[in-house]
Amino acid sequence: IKRIVTNPNILAVLGGIILLFTGIRLPETLSIAFNDVGSMVGPISMIITGMIVGGMRLKNMTENPRVWLVLLFRMVVCSGTAVAFVALAGIPYRIASGHSIVMISLLSAIAPSASNINQVAIIYNKDEKYASAINVLSTLSCIVTMPLWVMVSSAMGISNFLPSVVTGLA
C-alpha cells in the first residue's frame, strides 16, 4: 500500500484534485513547465515505441497468439460492450448534448492501447516487445475497428457523429 500511495502518478493526481477543488493556481512558470512536459509525453512515447519496434520483425509481432487474444478482447469485446451499454442505457437522450458526449466517450473506449504500456513494461522489467506488439497492432487495427464502431453506434442512434462527418467531407 505504501508503494501505491507514494507513487508519483498517484501523488500528482491527488495534487491536481486538491488544486481543482481549492481553486489554487500554480505560478505561471510552473504552469508553463508542466504544460511543456505534458506536451512531450505523446512524442516521447512514440519514440520509445519506435525504438523497440525498430529492433523487431513484423513476423515476431504477429506470431504470439496472446497478442491476437488481447486485440480481440480490446478492440472487439470491450468496444462492443461499451457501444451496447450506451445503446441499452439510452444515455444520449437523457442529457443535453448527449450524442456528442457519448461519442467522445465511445471514441476513447474504442481507441488503441496507450503507448505508455511500453514504458511501463520497461520500468517493471517485463516483455517490452510483447507490449509494443500490442500497441502497434492495436493502432493498426483501429483503421478498421474505429470506423466500424462509429457506423454501428450511428446506426443504433447512439450518436449523430457519422452524418456530420459525411456532410463535413462533402
Side-chain angles (χ1 to χ4, degrees):
I1 292 177
K2 180 182 176 187
R3 285 181 64 196
I4 293 172
V5 173
T6 59
N7 182 309
N9 298 315
I10 300 296
L11 294 174
V13 168
L14 291 174
I17 290 171
I18 291 169
L19 292 174
L20 175 71
F21 287 116
T22 61
I24 298 172
R25 297 274 182 214
L26 292 175
E28 187 176 354
T29 48
L30 277 179
S31 187
I32 291 170
F34 286 146
N35 188 34
D36 289 347
V37 169
S39 65
M40 294 184 325
V41 170
I44 288 174
S45 295
M46 291 300 168
I47 290 170
I48 291 171
T49 300
M51 288 173 21
I52 295 168
V53 171
M56 296 173 62
R57 293 179 47 205
L58 183 60
K59 182 181 179 194
N60 294 347
M61 275 194 269
T62 59
E63 67 186 6
N64 186 342
R66 289 193 64 199
V67 170
W68 296 108
L69 187 62
V70 169
L71 283 179
L72 176 70
F73 184 74
R74 174 74 183 101
M75 305 311 292
V76 178
V77 175
C78 289
S79 301
T81 303
V83 170
F85 173 75
V86 168
L88 294 174
I91 295 170
Y93 306 104
R94 295 177 188 238
I95 53 178
S97 302
H99 289 290
S100 298
I101 293 168
V102 165
M103 198 62 224
I104 291 167
S105 301
L106 283 177
L107 285 174
S108 67
I110 62 180
S113 65
S115 295
N116 65 349
I117 65 170
N118 310 328
Q119 296 159 355
V120 172
I122 292 169
I123 290 169
Y124 291 104
N125 295 319
K126 300 297 179 186
D127 189 359
E128 69 268 5
K129 291 184 179 183
Y130 174 68
S132 294
I134 291 171
N135 176 250
V136 169
L137 293 176
S138 69
T139 301
L140 290 174
S141 72
C142 277
I143 294 169
V144 174
T145 59
M146 284 187 94
L148 178 69
W149 286 123
V150 169
M151 285 190 299
V152 167
S153 65
S154 294
M156 294 174 79
I158 293 172
S159 72
N160 52 6
F161 182 73
L162 193 60
S164 64
V165 169
V166 172
T167 55
L169 294 175

